[in-house]
Amino acid sequence: MSYLEFDNKELVNLEYSLNREILSTNRAGGYFSTTIVLCNTRKYHGLMVLPLDQFDGENHILLSSVDETVIQHGKEFNLGIHRYQGIYEPRGHKYIVDFEYEPTPKITYRVGGVILEKELLFVHNEEQFMIRYTLKDAHSPTRLKIKPFLAFRNVHSLSKSNLTADKRFKEISNGVKYKLYNGFPYLHLQLNKTNEFVPVPDWYFNIEYKEEIKRGYEGHEDLFVPGFFEVPIKKGESVIFSASTNEQIPSSLTRKFNAEVLRRPKKDNFESCLRNSAQQFIVKRGKQIEIIAGYPWFGRWGRDTFIALPGLTLSIDDPKSCKAIIDTMTAELKGGLFPNVGKAKAAAFNSIDAPLWFFWSLQMYTSYTKDKAEVWKSYGKKMKEILIAYREGLPFNIKMHDNGLIWAGDKGHALTWMDAMVGGKPVTGRTGYQVEINALWYNAIMFTIELAKEHKDSKFIKEWEPIASKIVESFMPVFWTEKRNHLADYVDEEGQNIFTRPNQIFAASLPYSPIPDDAKRAVIDAVERELLTPKGLRTLSPKNPLYQGKYEGDQATRDSAYHQGTAWPWLLGHFVEAYYKIHGKSANAVAKNILESFQEDMCKYGICSIAEIYDGDPPQRPCGAISQAWSVAEILRIKRLYEQNI
C-alpha cells in the first residue's frame, strides 16, 4: 500500500479533487502545478512554467494544459477538463479511476474497454516537460488525439485573445515548434513516434480559475490551441509527448523518461515527503543556488531564505547546499542589508530582519559542521559589516539607541516579517523596538563575539561586549509587561504594545537570549495558552478584539487577517526549540503531536508538502501558497529535534 493514498471513488467529486494540488519542479526554477484531475484552478497553474532570463527571471507559463481524446470506432472521448463561466467542459474527470503520486503523478482513465495511463514528469535541471501515455487495455484499434493549450505569459497576468500572437509553426522531427510572441523561446512539441499534426489554430475563451476569483482577482483567460497531434496506440504501447525549449531526439524520449523516473526520490513516508518537498525549493541556475520562498507564486525572498535555510538543508544532511546558498546571498549584501525581494536594480532592501536571520543561519551551519574557523574566515567581515551598519544607522530609521536596542521603522512601512499592507498602510505597523528584532540583534552580537574569542579578535570583543551587556540590562525593563506576564510585541513613543503575539518566542528560542529562564518559561506558557494550534502559532490571541480566525476573501480582507490571527507553521519550530530548552524531554510530547498533525495533510491541499498558513480557527483549513519553504523547513527541524531527544 502506498503512503500517499487517495480515495479513488472521490476523484470524480470535484469538491474533493480540485482542493488537492500537485507540484513538481525541475530544480532550476521551473515547475508544473495543477489539481489531481488536471483542471487548472489558478492562474499560476500550468504544465510548463519557467523563469525566463529575458524577462528578469520571472516565471512564465508556456504550456498551460494538454487535453487527450481517445478515439475508437469513430467515437471520441475527451479526457480533458476545463472550467468555463459556470460550467465544466469537457468533463473528462468522470473517466478517472485512479490517481497516484509516486514516483511521478499518474492518472488512470477507463473509457469502456480502454484503460489509459497518463504520467507527468518535469525533467530535472532541464526545460523539458513530458507526458507518457500507456494503453493498458483495449479491445479494438485505438487512436490518441493530443491537444496542447498555450499561454506564453507571466504567471501573475492572464492571456487574452489578440491579433499579435504568431500562429505560424515550424515543423521539426515528429512535431512542431511555436513562439507566440517575440522575446519568448520556441516551445518544441514532439512525440516519440511518427504522428500527424493537424493545425487548427483557435482561441479557447474565458477559461475560469475559481481560486483567483475566490481571492478577489480577475479569473478568466483565453488560451491558444494550435491544433492537435493524432497517433495510433496499441495495447501495451507507450506514447511520449514532450514540450521543451530545445528540440529533442524523438528516439531518445523513452529512455530519458525511464531514467528520470528512476531519479525521483521516494515519497513513501512522512519524512521522505518532506525531504522531497525541501529539495524542490532549492534552485540552481548557473553558478547561483537559491531558495524559492513558496509555490506557486513566490520568488526568492531574503528573509525567507535565511529562516528556511537550516531546515531545508542541514535537517536533511546537505551542508554543501547550505553554504552555497549563503554564498549566493552574501554576494548581494549591500550596506548591511540583504535584498528582501528582487535582484540587481530591481532589488528592494526593505527587510530589517533578513541580515539578523543570516547570523542564525550561520549559527546553525556552524553547529552542524563544527568548523568555526571556516565560518569566521568566510563570513567574519560580512558579520562585522552588518553589525556596524545597524549600530550606525540604516534606511527606514533603523538604528541602535544608547540603551543598546534597535529602533526601526518609518510610518507607512512594514519592515518585519509581519509586512502585510492594506490601502498603503501596514496592518501591523510595529514601529519602534520590535521584540524579535532585538532578540535577533543580541543573538547576532553574541554569536560574533563567540567566533571572535575563538580567533582572538580582541578589538571586536572589547568594542561589542559592553553593547551586549547593555542589551541585557535594557531588554527586560523595556519589553516585560507585568499585566500580561510576557514580553511586549513592540515598544514605541507611546509605550508598550502588549498584544499577545508569537514574536516574543524568539527571545526564548535563539541560542543566545537576553532574558532569564523564568521569563522564558512565562513567554512559552503565554504562547502555548493563547497562540498554539496543531497547525501553527496564531499571530494574535483570539482574546484580542482585532483577532481574525479565517483567512479568506479579497486581497485586502485576506491581508487584514494575515497577521491578525492566521496560524503559521514556521513559528512552531522556534516554539518547540524554546520548549526543549526550558522543559527538556517533556517537550517530546509537544513535538510528536505537531508532527502527527501534519502527517494527515500530506494528501491534502499541496500534496506531499506543507501550506504557507492555516486558519486560526478550527478546523484550520490550509491556505495561501500550497508549498512554503519555511513551513517545510521548520517541521523538518522539529523532526530532527524530536529524534535527538527520544
Side-chain angles (χ1 to χ4, degrees):
M1 181 179 285
S2 171
Y3 171 71
L4 296 169
E5 285 286 318
F6 301 90
D7 188 340
N8 292 335
K9 294 178 182 177
E10 287 290 317
L11 293 173
V12 296
N13 176 2
L14 295 181
E15 284 293 317
Y16 175 90
S17 56
L18 295 185
N19 289 316
R20 287 165 169 79
E21 300 175 46
I22 56 178
L23 169 75
S24 182
T25 76
N26 69 346
R27 308 298 199 263
Y31 71 83
F32 82 76
S33 182
T34 182
T35 61
I36 61 174
V37 289
L38 309 188
C39 178
N40 293 344
T41 59
R42 303 181 188 272
K43 63 185 175 185
Y44 300 97
H45 281 161
L47 297 183
M48 192 172 194
V49 186
L50 297 173
L52 298 181
D53 291 335
Q54 54 269 51
F55 298 115
D56 297 324
E58 290 195 3
N59 280 339
H60 286 72
I61 299 176
L62 299 185
L63 179 66
S64 178
S65 59
V66 175
D67 281 10
E68 303 80 25
T69 301
V70 171
I71 306 171
Q72 269 197 344
H73 303 297
K75 290 185 178 180
E76 298 192 353
F77 304 89
N78 194 328
L79 308 184
I81 174 173
H82 302 275
R83 181 180 172 90
Y84 295 91
Q85 290 174 303
I87 63 165
Y88 290 93
E89 181 62 37
R91 298 173 62 83
H93 67 291
K94 64 187 178 184
Y95 301 117
I96 296 176
V97 294
D98 194 18
F99 172 81
E100 297 175 55
Y101 196 74
E102 190 189 14
T104 195
K106 179 172 74 174
I107 297 175
T108 303
Y109 299 88
R110 180 190 290 274
V111 183
V114 173
I115 298 177
L116 181 75
E117 286 183 352
K118 176 180 180 178
E119 299 168 88
L120 297 86
L121 184 144
F122 211 139
V123 179
H124 284 181
N125 305 115
E126 290 187 37
E127 294 179 337
Q128 183 184 13
F129 168 78
M130 291 193 279
I131 302 174
R132 179 165 66 185
Y133 303 97
T134 303
L135 190 61
K136 303 299 286 186
D137 200 6
H139 305 297
S140 52
T142 307
R143 297 181 70 82
L144 200 57
K145 193 187 284 188
I146 300 169
K147 186 196 309 182
F149 286 66
L150 308 184
F152 279 75
R153 50 104 172 153
N154 187 291
V155 291
H156 300 299
S157 62
L158 289 166
S159 169
K160 299 295 182 181
S161 65
N162 60 82
L163 298 175
T164 58
D166 190 348
K167 298 179 181 179
R168 295 171 298 174
F169 64 90
K170 295 183 179 180
E171 292 187 1
I172 54 177
S173 182
N174 282 5
V176 293
K177 65 178 182 179
Y178 278 87
K179 179 165 66 173
L180 295 192
Y181 309 104
N182 287 333
F184 281 88
Y186 271 103
L187 184 61
H188 302 76
L189 307 172
Q190 297 171 274
L191 271 60
N192 66 327
K193 65 179 289 187
T194 304
N195 63 86
E196 180 186 5
F197 176 70
V198 181
V200 191
D202 202 1
W203 288 96
Y204 281 57
F205 298 99
N206 289 319
I207 291 175
E208 185 172 278
Y209 303 127
K210 72 178 186 72
E211 291 299 320
E212 300 308 320
I213 293 170
K214 199 158 72 176
R215 296 168 70 230
Y217 299 121
E218 184 186 358
H220 295 94
E221 90 165 330
D222 308 329
L223 292 172
F224 178 67
V225 176
F228 58 87
F229 299 90
E230 191 167 327
V231 62
I233 184 169
K234 297 177 182 177
K235 180 178 176 179
E237 183 184 13
S238 291
V239 171
I240 294 176
F241 166 85
S242 166
S244 174
T245 55
N246 296 296
E247 185 172 352
Q248 302 294 311
I249 300 170
S251 61
S252 71
L253 293 178
T254 298
R255 184 172 64 253
K256 192 171 190 177
F257 196 103
N258 289 334
E260 281 293 315
V261 168
L262 291 175
R263 290 174 61 187
R264 292 297 175 270
K266 287 188 176 298
K267 297 175 274 287
D268 55 359
N269 57 44
F270 183 52
E271 182 176 3
S272 64
C273 283
L274 293 181
R275 290 174 72 95
N276 174 73
S277 184
Q279 291 163 342
Q280 291 192 331
F281 298 109
I282 298 172
V283 168
K284 298 176 183 177
R285 286 176 61 78
K287 294 181 180 179
Q288 292 193 322
I289 176 168
E290 302 174 330
I291 289 175
I292 298 297
Y295 291 101
W297 51 72
F298 286 102
R300 186 197 74 181
W301 286 63
R303 170 191 299 119
D304 298 51
T305 292
F306 292 123
I307 291 174
L309 183 56
L312 295 184
T313 58
L314 304 178
S315 292
I316 62 171
D317 299 308
D318 184 13
K320 185 178 178 182
S321 291
C322 184
K323 186 178 188 305
I325 292 165
I326 291 172
D327 290 343
T328 295
M329 293 300 295
T330 52
E332 298 183 44
L333 182 68
K334 183 178 178 182
L337 292 173
F338 288 100
N340 191 32
V341 293
K343 299 179 186 179
K345 292 181 181 179
F349 293 83
N350 61 340
S351 167
I352 183 178
D353 47 355
L356 303 177
W357 282 112
F358 159 69
F359 286 85
W360 179 74
S361 280
L362 280 182
Q363 267 175 307
M364 299 300 101
Y365 177 75
T366 306
S367 176
Y368 186 96
T369 63
K370 313 296 183 191
D371 195 344
K372 292 182 180 180
E374 179 217 359
V375 171
W376 187 247
K377 180 181 177 183
S378 299
Y379 310 111
K381 286 184 180 178
K382 301 277 189 185
M383 296 165 73
K384 292 180 188 178
E385 178 188 338
I386 292 169
L387 295 180
I388 291 169
Y390 274 70
R391 184 184 67 188
E392 302 302 320
L394 286 161
F396 305 107
N397 200 24
I398 300 169
K399 190 174 183 180
M400 186 187 84
H401 283 181
D402 291 341
N403 59 6
L405 299 179
I406 296 292
W407 178 281
D410 285 336
K411 299 297 181 186
H413 291 97
L415 303 178
T416 71
W417 81 277
M418 289 188 164
D419 55 2
M421 306 277 287
V422 173
K425 296 179 180 179
V427 177
T428 52
R430 308 184 71 233
T431 296
Y433 300 126
Q434 300 104 349
V435 65
E436 81 278 16
I437 299 304
N438 282 284
L440 285 161
W441 168 239
Y442 177 73
N443 180 65
I445 293 171
M446 291 302 295
F447 176 55
T448 312
I449 290 172
E450 175 191 330
L451 295 185
K453 285 181 177 178
E454 192 87 10
H455 297 88
K456 299 179 173 56
D457 189 338
S458 55
K459 183 179 179 225
F460 179 86
I461 297 166
K462 185 178 180 182
E463 185 179 357
W464 285 87
E465 274 194 333
I467 295 175
S469 298
K470 198 173 287 187
I471 295 170
V472 173
E473 290 171 17
S474 305
F475 201 96
M476 286 292 287
V478 168
F479 285 106
W480 190 257
T481 166
E482 292 292 342
K483 183 177 179 181
R484 293 287 176 88
N485 199 37
H486 65 58
L487 295 170
D489 189 55
Y490 66 92
V491 180
D492 62 12
E493 299 93 334
E494 297 177 8
Q496 295 179 331
N497 177 287
I498 61 173
F499 288 0
T500 305
R501 291 193 184 274
N503 301 304
Q504 60 186 306
I505 198 65
F506 302 110
S509 69
L510 291 167
Y512 289 102
S513 171
I515 65 174
D517 282 356
D518 60 339
K520 290 179 188 175
R521 187 172 284 105
V523 163
I524 292 166
D525 288 348
V527 170
E528 184 174 20
R529 184 174 60 249
E530 298 192 39
L531 305 178
L532 179 65
T533 78
K535 304 299 185 185
L537 297 188
R538 295 187 183 102
T539 38
L540 185 64
S541 169
K543 296 179 181 178
N544 192 300
L546 297 178
Y547 173 80
Q548 296 186 46
K550 291 201 180 299
Y551 180 82
E552 59 190 6
D554 62 18
Q555 185 173 0
T557 307
R558 284 181 288 111
D559 282 349
S560 295
Y562 210 34
H563 300 115
Q564 297 283 68
T566 298
W568 292 71
W570 82 270
L571 296 167
L572 291 170
H574 287 271
F575 173 77
V576 170
E577 195 162 28
Y579 213 99
Y580 272 115
K581 286 179 177 176
I582 293 300
H583 297 292
K585 292 196 175 184
S586 63
N588 282 343
V590 175
K592 186 180 180 185
N593 287 340
I594 289 169
L595 293 172
E596 287 176 351
S597 81
F598 285 103
Q599 287 226 36
E600 67 187 31
D601 287 3
M602 289 295 99
C603 291
K604 299 176 184 175
Y605 202 53
I607 305 301
C608 203
S609 192
I610 298 175
E612 176 190 8
I613 50 179
Y614 288 76
D615 284 339
D617 286 348
Q620 292 201 277
R621 294 173 306 126
C623 309
I626 63 169
S627 181
Q628 193 76 3
W630 59 15
S631 296
V632 173
E634 288 300 275
I635 301 309
L636 276 167
R637 274 211 322 124
I638 291 172
K639 194 170 191 307
R640 179 63 67 98
L641 284 167
Y642 175 70
E643 289 168 349
Q644 290 171 345
N645 283 280
I646 54 175

